[in-house]
Amino acid sequence: MSSTRTLVSPLTLSRPRGKAVYWTVFTGIVLLFALAFLFPVYWMVTGAMKSPDEVAGTPPTLVPHHWHLSGYTDAWDLMDLPTHLWNTVVQAAGAWLLQLVFCTAAAYSLSKLKPALGRVVLGGILATLMVPAQALVVPKYLTVADLPLIHTSLLNDPLGIWLPAVANAFNLYLLKRFFDQIPRDVLEAAEIDGAGRLRTLWSIVLPMSRPVLGVVSIFALAAVWQDFLWPLMVFSDTDKQPISVALVQLSQNIPLTVLIASMVIASIPMVLMFLVFQRHIIAGISAGSTKG
């Protein structure tokens, strides 16, 4: 019979005093972590509701003296947020869809179809994770500015965001690790029933892969939504810039409270997505990390 060692023994927890001390310490630690993570969000949300003088005043005020919602309405109009939010949605959705299609197909091929030199290809893909992202910016820009063979520029075009986003080695490896865990018997049963490779992927593998597809989707959307340097290089046209670039480009003559309100509005979609799909993040990562 195996015993598990814990920080607090079961005997101590069985006593009223030990249980009270344990839950007091546990509650205090949870509250401290919650405060550390939520206080910056509170500071940003309430900062947009202060007057410009109050937000720049010293010492700072924890609660606004007067609540002003005009910062959010001004941000919506002055920063042209609907246009830039829509640009971001288009760029993120296209990158997510292409990445999901091509990364899933590549991962399924490397995991179940066992192509020739598959290990070499996988090793080359994973080797790109060791290259700093900053080192790839110039080659990517030169490629997008003059696409090889067809000599077409993708600058100021959503394809300039979509196509580089497809080559995501981390998400491909996450999908492959999940596909490796799917029992071979399931695929053989589908093959006996007459299902081809594509039919097996669509009807058998993908429905079983919803947790990892969810986490890959979240990673893909968040990466495009929060990216700044690459969209700044691709989009010189202000009307086509995503929200991350527009906030910087249009903030020169904007009051600080309006800029803070714009940041709050820009972060709402990602926060909502995390709150809705947070279960998939843990389920997808844990599914791809163990063999079962």
Side-chain angles (χ1 to χ4, degrees), residues 24-277:
T24 300
V25 173
F26 178 78
T27 304
I29 293 175
V30 170
L31 290 176
L32 285 175
F33 272 94
L35 182 64
F37 283 100
L38 295 179
F39 182 76
V41 178
Y42 166 80
W43 191 260
M44 183 171 63
V45 172
T46 58
M49 299 182 184
K50 299 177 182 178
S51 64
D53 293 335
E54 184 180 359
V55 104
T58 304
T61 55
L62 187 62
V63 179
H65 296 313
H66 302 283
W67 298 83
H68 303 279
L69 295 178
S70 59
Y72 290 99
T73 56
D74 292 343
W76 189 260
D77 296 329
L78 295 177
M79 303 289 286
D80 196 14
L81 291 185
T83 298
H84 298 296
L85 284 171
W86 175 248
N87 293 340
T88 311
V89 169
V90 171
Q91 296 167 23
W96 161 75
L97 182 60
L98 291 177
Q99 192 174 139
L100 209 62
V101 171
F102 286 99
C103 285
T104 300
Y108 178 71
S109 175
L110 292 171
S111 175
K112 297 303 182 184
L113 303 186
K114 305 296 183 183
L117 301 178
R119 291 182 178 272
V120 176
V121 173
L122 179 62
I125 292 173
L126 295 180
T128 62
L129 293 174
M130 309 302 170
V131 181
Q134 295 79 1
L136 300 175
V137 170
V138 174
K140 280 200 305 181
Y141 181 81
L142 295 176
T143 302
V144 169
D146 185 13
L147 208 61
L149 300 180
I150 60 177
H151 300 291
T152 300
S153 175
L154 298 181
L155 298 180
N156 289 315
D157 192 311
L159 285 172
I161 300 294
W162 297 347
L163 297 183
V166 172
N168 191 306
F170 176 76
N171 285 345
L172 189 151
Y173 182 69
L174 198 64
L175 287 163
K176 180 187 178 300
R177 286 290 300 164
F178 187 90
F179 293 159
D180 288 341
Q181 298 177 38
I182 297 178
R184 187 67 189 176
D185 296 344
V186 175
L187 304 184
E188 291 176 351
E191 187 176 350
I192 292 174
D193 289 340
R197 299 289 175 82
L198 187 60
R199 180 70 176 180
T200 301
L201 172 64
W202 181 260
S203 301
I204 305 297
V205 176
L206 291 184
M208 297 175 63
S209 306
R210 288 177 181 174
V212 73
L213 292 176
V215 72
V216 166
S217 299
I218 293 171
F219 286 163
L221 291 171
V224 176
W225 197 277
Q226 67 186 5
D227 195 11
F228 171 76
L229 179 59
W230 182 243
L232 176 64
M233 298 178 67
V234 171
F235 293 101
S236 58
D237 187 351
T238 305
D239 293 334
K240 296 182 179 180
Q241 290 175 344
I243 190 69
S244 59
V245 178
L247 288 179
V248 178
Q249 298 285 59
L250 302 176
S251 62
Q252 277 72 19
N253 300 318
I254 296 295
L256 183 58
T257 53
V258 175
L259 179 60
I260 296 174
S262 302
M263 295 178 181
V264 174
I265 295 174
S267 63
I268 288 176
M270 286 295 100
V271 173
L272 292 178
M273 188 179 70
F274 172 78
L275 293 177
V276 173
F277 297 105

